[in-house]
Amino acid sequence: MGAMTTTAAQEQSRPVVLLAVRPEVREMVLSDATLDRLAELGEVVGTDGREWDDVELPAGVRAIVTGWGTPEVSAELLERLPDLEIVAHTGGSVRGIVSREVWERGARVTTAAETNNRFVAEYTAAQVLLALKGAHHVVAHGRRNHALPRPIGAPGTLGQRIGLVSYGSIARHVRAVLRALDVEIWTWDPYVSDEDLARDDVRRAADLDELFRTCLVVSIHSPLIPGVTEGLVGADQLALLRPGATLVNTSRGAIIDEPALVALLQQRPDVCAVLDVTWPEPPVPESPLWELPNVQLTGHVAGAIGSEAVALGAAAVEELERHLTGEPLRHEVSATAAARRA
């Protein structure tokens, strides 16, 4: 057999990358430019996000690019991918997509969560500003009375207390966006250090009750950890909300005791809720949340949508490029951190 040509040798040495993203997700998060960049990094084999049993896997797969709805990278799949080094996820949470065995194997996991968090924070900050301007209450009044309130009793922005339940990545982005406003930012998070809060000029509430009792807007940013944060916000906390308060949830619906929230909103028309997430999701057809005038359901628009979504795919491919070229990853996720994320 003759010597292998240079081009053939180069092709053989190129890493094999599985693009395991469903077509509808691929259209959202992977621009033509990002797909071209991915093709420059290695030999791309598309699976369309099909179940792994239906996919003939090539030899030498070193990387998988995943997205919403990709089947789990399980222990069984790993047996078929002995060379796998990295999973680059184009979404945020990898629950149900990356099994613990991936980390145990020594493969790396990276996500576009930090990119998505920026967009969630922008949405949250917008809702905070609308709440302080009284917009949600004006809408609720109009729905009830087919008239606008006169005068509009909005609290205004100056000196108001904003409460953030948990102070992770999204909450930190919210704080950064709200720096333009003259507001006090408070949080309840037993895990964040005093030094981190002082650096960001954020004040610590003694407990969750204090946050709900003293803040005019309360925004939920705690991850959903089964058995730990399910129902974290219950009837006792909700009853403490100030007159005219607004509750914002962009995290997970199950963090709030939803029946208790419905009861509160029915009894207190002065309280408004902006729910980008619910439990179940969407609410059942007979849920009062659909009809309550002081509720706004926005159905997961807080995260990256439209033109924003392509930033997620670009972030994942950038991380993959760093790995393949020996550069440090910027958004690597450990098994422990993944378990704590929403």
Side-chain angles (χ1 to χ4, degrees), residues 25 50 77 111 115 171 214 228 252 280 317:
V25 176
R50 289 172 290 161
L77 179 64
T111 81
T115 300
T214 62
V228 178
R252 291 291 185 266
V317 173

Short mmCIF file of all heavy atoms in Angstrom, two decimals, residues 25 50 77 111 115 171 214 228 252 280 317:
data_model
loop_
_atom_site.label_atom_id
_atom_site.label_comp_id
_atom_site.label_asym_id
_atom_site.label_seq_id
_atom_site.Cartn_x
_atom_site.Cartn_y
_atom_site.Cartn_z
N VAL A 25 -33.92 22.52 17.53
CA VAL A 25 -33.04 23.23 18.46
C VAL A 25 -31.82 23.76 17.71
O VAL A 25 -31.36 24.88 17.95
CB VAL A 25 -32.61 22.30 19.61
CG1 VAL A 25 -31.61 23.00 20.54
CG2 VAL A 25 -33.83 21.84 20.39
N ARG A 50 -31.37 11.96 17.90
CA ARG A 50 -32.14 10.71 17.99
C ARG A 50 -31.68 9.88 19.19
O ARG A 50 -30.60 10.10 19.74
CB ARG A 50 -31.96 9.90 16.71
CG ARG A 50 -32.66 10.48 15.49
CD ARG A 50 -32.26 9.71 14.24
NE ARG A 50 -30.87 9.97 13.89
CZ ARG A 50 -30.14 9.19 13.10
NH1 ARG A 50 -30.65 8.06 12.63
NH2 ARG A 50 -28.89 9.50 12.81
N LEU A 77 -23.97 4.46 26.91
CA LEU A 77 -23.42 5.15 25.74
C LEU A 77 -21.91 5.28 25.86
O LEU A 77 -21.18 5.13 24.87
CB LEU A 77 -24.06 6.53 25.60
CG LEU A 77 -23.54 7.37 24.43
CD1 LEU A 77 -23.87 6.70 23.10
CD2 LEU A 77 -24.11 8.78 24.47
N THR A 111 -21.13 24.12 29.72
CA THR A 111 -22.47 24.54 29.31
C THR A 111 -22.47 26.01 28.91
O THR A 111 -21.52 26.75 29.18
CB THR A 111 -23.50 24.36 30.45
OG1 THR A 111 -23.42 25.47 31.35
CG2 THR A 111 -23.28 23.06 31.20
N THR A 115 -23.97 32.26 29.60
CA THR A 115 -24.49 33.11 28.52
C THR A 115 -25.99 33.29 28.67
O THR A 115 -26.52 34.41 28.56
CB THR A 115 -24.17 32.48 27.15
OG1 THR A 115 -22.75 32.35 27.02
CG2 THR A 115 -24.69 33.34 26.01
N ALA A 171 -28.55 35.95 39.80
CA ALA A 171 -28.76 37.05 40.74
C ALA A 171 -27.62 38.07 40.66
O ALA A 171 -27.85 39.28 40.76
CB ALA A 171 -28.89 36.51 42.16
N THR A 214 -39.67 42.57 54.09
CA THR A 214 -39.12 43.92 53.95
C THR A 214 -38.94 44.40 52.52
O THR A 214 -38.77 45.60 52.30
CB THR A 214 -37.75 44.00 54.66
OG1 THR A 214 -36.84 43.08 54.03
CG2 THR A 214 -37.88 43.66 56.14
N VAL A 228 -34.92 19.48 48.72
CA VAL A 228 -34.24 20.56 49.45
C VAL A 228 -34.94 21.89 49.23
O VAL A 228 -35.33 22.58 50.18
CB VAL A 228 -32.75 20.66 49.04
CG1 VAL A 228 -32.08 21.82 49.77
CG2 VAL A 228 -32.03 19.36 49.32
N ARG A 252 -37.57 27.94 38.88
CA ARG A 252 -38.37 26.74 38.66
C ARG A 252 -39.67 26.88 39.44
O ARG A 252 -39.67 27.34 40.59
CB ARG A 252 -37.63 25.47 39.11
CG ARG A 252 -36.43 25.11 38.25
CD ARG A 252 -36.85 24.65 36.86
NE ARG A 252 -35.72 24.18 36.05
CZ ARG A 252 -35.04 24.93 35.21
NH1 ARG A 252 -35.37 26.22 35.07
NH2 ARG A 252 -34.05 24.43 34.49
N PRO A 280 -47.48 22.52 37.65
CA PRO A 280 -46.84 22.01 36.43
C PRO A 280 -46.69 23.10 35.38
O PRO A 280 -47.18 24.21 35.54
CB PRO A 280 -47.80 20.92 35.96
CG PRO A 280 -49.14 21.39 36.46
CD PRO A 280 -48.87 22.03 37.79
N VAL A 317 -19.52 26.03 21.24
CA VAL A 317 -18.47 25.71 20.27
C VAL A 317 -17.15 26.39 20.66
O VAL A 317 -16.07 25.83 20.47
CB VAL A 317 -18.92 26.10 18.85
CG1 VAL A 317 -17.77 25.95 17.85
CG2 VAL A 317 -20.10 25.23 18.43
#
